[in-house]
Amino acid sequence: MHSASGRKLDYGALVNAAAKLPVPENVALKEPAQFKLIGTPHRRLDSAGKVNGTAKFGIDTRLPGMKFAVLAQSPTFGGKLASVDEVKAKRYQA
């Protein structure tokens, strides 16, 4: 963001230009005394929702007409399918 003109670009718009810049060999690092965030406590704003169940995640998404699938596997290693009741299996289709 250029404060004087108010112009701004997304990071994605700068990627091609940045990729053409040479990689610096020696980068001056800040002294720990200059750190503003590292080493200071920060409140986790997402913790309350995770603890009380109000947080929504991708797996919580439900859309109208949404289908679900389940992979059914043998409970034993190397087990083979003995039989299937297609009537029962198809009963759960929406």
Side-chain angles (χ1 to χ4, degrees), residues 1-3 5-11 13-14:
M1 181 172 187
H2 187 250
S3 300
S5 66
R7 293 181 304 162
K8 54 185 167 179
L9 287 172
D10 294 329
Y11 284 113
L14 303 171

Side-chain angles (χ1 to χ4, degrees), residues 23-84:
V23 176
E25 291 186 25
N26 296 315
V27 178
L29 300 177
K30 286 183 180 181
E31 293 296 322
Q34 295 175 301
F35 294 163
K36 294 179 181 177
L37 299 175
I38 297 173
T40 61
H42 299 282
R43 185 166 178 246
R44 292 289 307 255
L45 302 176
D46 58 344
S47 295
K50 291 177 180 177
V51 171
N52 66 24
T54 60
K56 297 296 179 207
F57 299 92
I59 198 168
D60 300 320
T61 302
R62 299 289 186 265
L63 300 173
M66 188 170 179
K67 305 285 185 197
F68 297 87
V70 176
L71 176 63
Q73 292 180 282
S74 173
T76 59
F77 182 73
K80 303 285 185 212
L81 178 66
S83 66
V84 64

